[in-house]
Structure formats: C-alpha cells, structure tokens
Amino acid sequence: MRLRVEFTTEPFDLDEAPPHALAAREVVEAAELDAVDVGPFGNTAEGGADAVLAVVDTLLRKSLRAGATRISLQVNVIGEGDR
C-alpha cells in the first residue's frame, strides 16, 4: 500500500522557518520516500506504508520537541503496490 501524508506545523512564522518546521523538513527529506514537497504553508510526502508511517511518528515527536504547538496532518491511501 502507498500513502501520502500532508502536514503543517504551527505556530507559523512568515519571516523565517521556526525550529519545529525545520525539524519536520529534516525528517521527511532524510527518509526513503518516493516524493517530498516542502512548502511554506504545507508539505507532502509519498511512499510505502511502512516508510510513511515511520516518518509520521518521527515527525510528530521531533516537531513537538522543537516547539510545535499544533501539527495538522492527513494521510491518504494512494495505491496498493509498494515501490
């Protein structure tokens, strides 16, 4: 099964990325995922179910430790076959 996770971390800072946003970015960019898109207002990552679920766990833990007060995420099934 393939999954897509979309997430944002808060509080926002339009002048520079806060530590919790940088922590989340580092997690998804270091993971073995098929696609990662990091933007100022939302981020997406795609991959096999095990990889995406592991990223979600790590992302939540590291972002909260780095000061996130809210993390919004959505996980969608996008396909049945792992790449």
Side-chain angles (χ1 to χ4, degrees), residues 21-74:
L22 295 175
R25 181 182 302 166
E26 290 172 8
V27 169
V28 296
E29 289 179 342
E32 292 188 23
L33 299 171
D34 300 331
V36 173
D37 183 21
V38 176
F41 299 107
N43 310 282
T44 61
E46 296 179 10
D50 289 340
V52 170
L53 294 173
V55 162
V56 168
D57 177 64
T58 304
L59 181 145
L60 291 172
R61 293 174 189 278
K62 289 190 174 186
S63 296
L64 290 168
R65 277 195 300 261
T69 58
R70 178 179 175 151
I71 302 168
S72 301
L73 65 89
Q74 177 174 300

Side-chain angles (χ1 to χ4, degrees), residues 10-29:
E10 296 178 40
F12 293 113
D13 183 340
L14 296 178
D15 294 327
E16 67 180 77
H20 57 81
L22 295 175
R25 181 182 302 166
E26 290 172 8
V27 169
V28 296
E29 289 179 342

